[in-house]
Amino acid sequence: MISSRLSRVLGPGLLAAACALPAHADSVASSASSAGSASSASVSDSIGGSSNSSSGDRRVAGGQYRVIDIAQAPGKAGKTRLTLRAVAEGPVREFFLDLPERALTERAVAKGAVVQVNERAYGYEFAHADTQRPFFLALHDDWYRELASRPVTI
């Protein structure tokens, strides 16, 4: 059986269940389906602090971030590393995002582009700032574990 959190929020969107959903679940399901099921990973595997950041905090805040570097993720075959820096004034907030290369096949992200980060109950949604179209979801680790495939016996 699918866990209660998954069935309430992500399950309906990913499984395309034809049932009534609470209003907040609709937006989560929409985000999940927009970003695509192959374009998600856990926060701990995707987001890291940058040595250039003014704080050692690995926390990501919602807002707009400029892509300041794009490279192959070190030691992670098939993954791209985006280094992102907050556009907003104030202390330098910078972090890196490792995501599967396939997350950028529909539309690439260029150096200098602006990415919108939205905090969600399940983690973080990364979207192209100009279209607000999500391209990657970084799921909190407990949410990500719930998505793991498990054998079902009947």
Side-chain angles (χ1 to χ4, degrees):
M1 178 168 226
I2 298 175
S3 75
S4 61
R5 189 177 337 175
L6 184 60
S7 64
R8 277 193 325 263
V9 182
L10 288 180
L14 297 175
L15 301 174
C19 61
L21 298 172
H24 71 281
D26 284 338
S27 65
V28 172
S30 173
S31 295
S33 62
S34 295
S37 60
S39 299
S40 64
S42 69
V43 166
S44 63
D45 190 44
S46 303
I47 298 174
S50 169
S51 59
N52 295 333
S53 182
S54 63
S55 75
D57 188 4
R58 284 181 42 134
R59 240 182 96 98
V60 175
Q64 292 192 335
Y65 292 81
R66 187 162 312 281
V67 178
I68 60 170
D69 191 39
I70 302 171
Q72 170 71 38
K76 296 180 180 180
K79 294 207 174 189
T80 297
R81 174 168 287 182
L82 303 179
T83 303
L84 303 169
R85 180 178 295 150
V87 172
E89 294 293 321
V92 175
R93 291 196 55 92
E94 191 173 296
F95 66 96
F96 63 81
L97 174 67
D98 292 344
L99 65 160
E101 291 170 352
R102 67 182 173 264
L104 301 173
T105 55
E106 186 176 311
R107 179 178 171 196
V109 175
K111 189 173 179 179
V114 176
V115 171
Q116 176 68 41
V117 178
N118 297 308
E119 292 183 68
R120 304 290 187 203
Y122 53 81
Y124 301 96
E125 173 190 81
F126 293 84
H128 299 282
D130 59 349
T131 64
Q132 298 299 307
R133 183 161 171 81
F135 60 87
F136 184 70
L137 301 176
L139 304 173
H140 292 302
D141 294 348
D142 56 336
W143 285 73
Y144 187 72
R145 279 191 297 274
E146 291 184 26
L147 292 176
S149 298
R150 293 177 185 83
V152 176
T153 56
I154 299 178

